[in-house]
Amino acid sequence: MAKYIIKRFFMMIATILIIATLTFALMHTIPGSPFDDERTSNPTIQANLEKFYKLDEPMHIQYLYYLKSIVTFDFGPSIKKPNESVNELLARGFPISFELGMVTILVALLSGVTLGTFAALRHNGIIDYTAMTFAVVGISVPNFVLATLLIQQIAVNLEWLPPATWSSPLHMILPTLALATGPTAIIARLTRSSMLEVLTQDYIKMARAKGLSPVRIVVRHALRNALMPVVTIMGTMLAGILTGTFVIERIFAIPGMGKYFVESINNRDYPVIMGSTVFYSAFLVFMLFLVDIVYGFLDPRIKLHRKEGDA
């Protein structure tokens, strides 16, 4: 386990470095300058600003400054909000995005596993057909389309819930539903197919022959093995949900990182773009690493390192 963790750690560092390098290269291949507006049209003002943000340095020097900011986790001030640093924007926006993402993951896991389990237990029944119909619809409809429908029908027409902002638990319901529907459908389908396979295994038949209750068989014996495919996709699903919150945050006017990230792209705010990209990349790579560790503990048959002598 120690060797595997060390190996994965260096792979994480390499992945983050590659992402940071690609982000830096892409940002500097876009024509123009973040100071191309009326307020900085004066060549002297623009030159002073480029010097302050070290954008007048050669490209390789800028890249070294960028790597230093990653190592020290100090991305400097925002170009469009010079009174605020990128770290302050991350500290203000990320907790909201993280809260929305974690609530979405929790809702998707609980509802998806429950729906998939009942569909498997009532195979070819009305519950099974209803659950799989929901799964197909949930996978097919993009979350931003669902978000606009929820706002129009539930918030505007019925006036059951507030349509936007992030000031109370009621404001969390609609964006969570918009984000969680797709992952719920995927988890439900995976749980159902895996549970159907597990329920035909010999140890499940043996448990039934011993007279164990159906609830105990499902909860203690079948569900753990049926969740293996779900655990496998949790890392990539978490990445999709946390990055998907950017669009949902804009639709529901949530003051999370999505707001600052989209604004930074529109304003070509290099420090915010590169700082938030590296921060999210490091966070998501770390979460994928945790998923690998959890998967190894859940299934002891998985070997985290090669045996001696294997090439």
Side-chain angles (χ1 to χ4, degrees), residues 60-190:
H60 66 281
I61 300 297
Q62 293 184 44
Y63 180 67
L64 292 178
Y65 278 122
Y66 177 46
L67 292 181
K68 179 183 176 182
S69 69
I70 295 175
V71 174
T72 60
F73 198 71
D74 182 8
F75 299 103
S78 166
I79 291 178
K80 296 302 179 179
K81 298 179 180 180
N83 295 327
E84 295 184 283
S85 68
V86 177
N87 292 36
E88 290 173 341
L89 296 178
L90 288 172
R92 184 163 63 245
F94 178 73
I96 297 176
S97 298
F98 181 77
E99 182 181 9
L100 176 58
M102 290 300 100
V103 171
T104 300
I105 282 287
L106 182 62
V107 171
L109 270 176
L110 292 178
S111 55
V113 170
T114 302
L115 200 60
T117 301
F118 277 107
L121 295 176
R122 298 293 183 268
H123 184 48
N124 289 332
I126 185 65
I127 295 179
D128 186 18
Y129 293 138
T130 302
M132 290 306 99
T133 300
F134 165 79
V136 171
V137 174
I139 295 173
S140 304
V141 180
N143 56 22
F144 60 88
V145 174
L146 182 59
T148 55
L149 292 175
L150 290 174
I151 292 174
Q152 180 64 39
Q153 298 301 323
I154 297 180
V156 177
N157 294 343
L158 299 176
E159 298 183 355
W160 287 352
L161 294 169
T165 70
W166 190 261
S167 56
S168 72
L170 288 177
H171 290 83
M172 299 173 62
I173 296 177
L174 290 184
T176 299
L177 287 176
L179 272 175
T181 300
T184 297
I186 295 173
I187 292 173
R189 287 175 62 89
L190 281 175

Side-chain angles (χ1 to χ4, degrees), residues 23-36:
T23 303
F24 178 85
L26 289 173
M27 287 307 306
H28 285 79
T29 54
I30 300 175
S33 167
F35 308 114
D36 292 339

